[in-house]
Amino acid sequence: MPSFRFAAALSLGLILAAPACAQDKMTLILDWFVNPDHAPIIVAQQKGFFADEGLEVEIVAPADPADPPKLVAAGKADLAISYQPQLHLQVHAGLPLLRVGTLIATPLNCLMVKADGPVQSLADLKGRKIGYSVSGVEEATVAMMLHSAGLNLTDVEMVNVNWSLTPAVLTGQVDAVIGAYRNFELTQMRLAGTEGRCFYPEEAGVPGYDELIFVANAKTLDRDRIRRFLAAVQRGTEYMLNHPAEAFAAFSASAPDLADALNTRAWADTLPRFSHSPAALDYGRYAGFEMFLKDAGLIDSVLPVSQLALDPGAPQ
C-alpha cells in the first residue's frame, strides 16, 4: 500500500483497546496505518460491538506492513488483515495461515495513468514505463492486462517505484503504476491538481478476488472467538450503511487526520466495497485465483480451497 498513507495515519504502534470489561481478548494486526479501509473495525470498536460479543480487541498498526501475516503464523497475534493474492503465495511458502473472513470483497488495485496523458487504452502502454512495488503478483497482473490488449511484458519497462505510486505518475517517472488503490490514489491525484484514470484488472482478464481479508493461524485458530469477532465487524458495516454520518463521525474521531479531504473521500469510495457477510466464503473465487497464479508460474501446484480459506461458521 502506498506511502502517502503515512501522512494521514497514526503514529507507529497505534493501539486501540476495547473496554476493560470485555472477557475474551483478541489481537488484530492491521495491514497498514488506520485508514477508511478499516472502517467497519474501527466503528465496531467505537460503538461497542466487540464488547457486546464479549471480546476485548486490541487493534495494532504494524511497524512494517510485511509483518502482520508473519506475526499470526508465529502465534504473536490472533488475526491479521492481509490480501487474498498474498495469502496464496504465503501458504505455498509454508506459512500456517487461513482466510477466516473478508473485509473488502472487491479488488481495489488498479493500473493508474494520467487521465489526459498518452495512455488512453491498455494498448497505448506499448513502449512505456509501468511502476510497481511488489514483484510477483503485480507483474502477473500487468502481464494478464497487457495480454488482453495483445501485448506482453516485453513490450513495456517495469520500474520499481517502491510504493511512491502517485508521485511517480505525477512527475513523469513512469507512464502508469500498478498497485494504486482506486479508492485512494485517484483522489490523491485530484487533490494534487491532476485527474487520474484507472484500468481495472478484473475487466482485463484477472479473476476477481478479495482485496482485504482476515487471516488466522491454521493450527491454533479459535472458531468461536472468530465468529464473534466477525459478527461485530458485520454490525460495523451495517451501521455504516444505515447511519453513514454517525458512523463517519465515530470513525474520524478515533484518530487525527481521518477527517481530512483524502480520507473523507476515501470513506465514500470504499463504503460499497466492504463485505456485507464477512464470514461467508466464495470457494470459486479462491479456486480461480489459485489457478491464475499457477498459470502465471508463481506457484507449482494447485491447493484445495480448504488449505487456503474457511468459513468459521460452517459445520466442521
Side-chain angles (χ1 to χ4, degrees), residues 10 34 39 42-43 46 245-260 263-264 267:
L10 310 179
V34 172
I42 304 304
V43 170
Q46 295 289 93
E246 296 91 335
F248 183 71
F251 169 77
S252 59
S254 68
D257 301 322
L258 290 180
D260 66 12
N263 283 291
T264 298
W267 168 279

Side-chain angles (χ1 to χ4, degrees), residues 1-221:
M1 297 174 66
S3 61
F4 80 86
R5 293 178 198 170
F6 282 98
L10 310 179
S11 59
L12 286 172
L14 166 74
I15 296 177
L16 299 175
C21 60
Q23 296 178 353
D24 295 324
K25 295 183 178 181
M26 296 186 74
T27 300
L28 168 69
I29 310 294
L30 303 179
D31 59 309
W32 204 256
F33 296 100
V34 172
N35 64 71
D37 289 349
H38 311 127
I41 302 164
I42 304 304
V43 170
Q45 188 79 294
Q46 295 289 93
K47 301 301 293 184
F49 300 154
F50 290 128
D52 289 346
E53 294 291 338
L55 296 174
E56 180 180 341
V57 180
E58 184 180 57
I59 303 172
V60 182
D64 182 338
D67 285 345
K70 299 174 186 176
L71 292 171
V72 168
K76 305 294 186 182
D78 300 292
L79 295 170
I81 295 178
S82 191
Y83 314 89
Q84 182 190 335
Q86 295 302 321
L87 170 71
H88 292 263
L89 301 182
Q90 290 159 352
V91 172
H92 277 274
L95 291 183
L97 298 172
L98 278 175
R99 172 270 181 207
V100 295
T102 297
L103 179 59
I104 292 182
T106 75
L108 294 178
N109 184 16
C110 76
L111 191 148
M112 186 178 72
V113 300
K114 287 183 178 180
D116 61 355
V119 179
Q120 295 297 310
S121 71
L122 290 173
D124 293 333
L125 287 167
K126 185 172 183 178
R128 300 191 180 277
K129 296 179 180 180
I130 301 177
Y132 73 97
S133 300
V134 180
S135 61
V137 173
E138 287 190 350
E139 289 176 313
T141 298
V142 170
M144 178 59 76
M145 296 178 74
L146 292 173
H147 178 74
S148 74
L151 304 176
N152 56 54
L153 284 176
T154 62
D155 292 312
V156 301
E157 180 183 350
M158 299 296 292
V159 179
N160 190 332
V161 297
N162 194 29
W163 302 115
S164 185
L165 299 172
T166 300
V169 174
L170 289 173
T171 62
Q173 179 187 357
V174 295
D175 302 289
V177 290
I178 189 67
Y181 270 17
R182 60 193 74 173
N183 60 333
F184 275 95
E185 270 77 8
L186 286 177
T187 297
Q188 191 189 26
M189 292 276 286
R190 189 172 301 115
L191 292 174
T194 301
E195 289 294 322
R197 177 183 179 183
C198 269
F199 295 98
Y200 303 113
E202 68 272 25
E203 294 180 358
V206 179
Y209 59 89
D210 297 338
E211 189 68 57
L212 291 183
I213 59 175
F214 298 101
V215 296
N217 189 304
K219 299 177 180 177
T220 62
L221 65 87

Side-chain angles (χ1 to χ4, degrees), residues 268-288:
D269 289 342
T270 311
L271 184 59
R273 300 185 179 277
F274 290 113
S275 173
H276 293 185
S277 182
L281 171 62
D282 184 338
Y283 286 82
R285 173 166 285 200
Y286 283 75

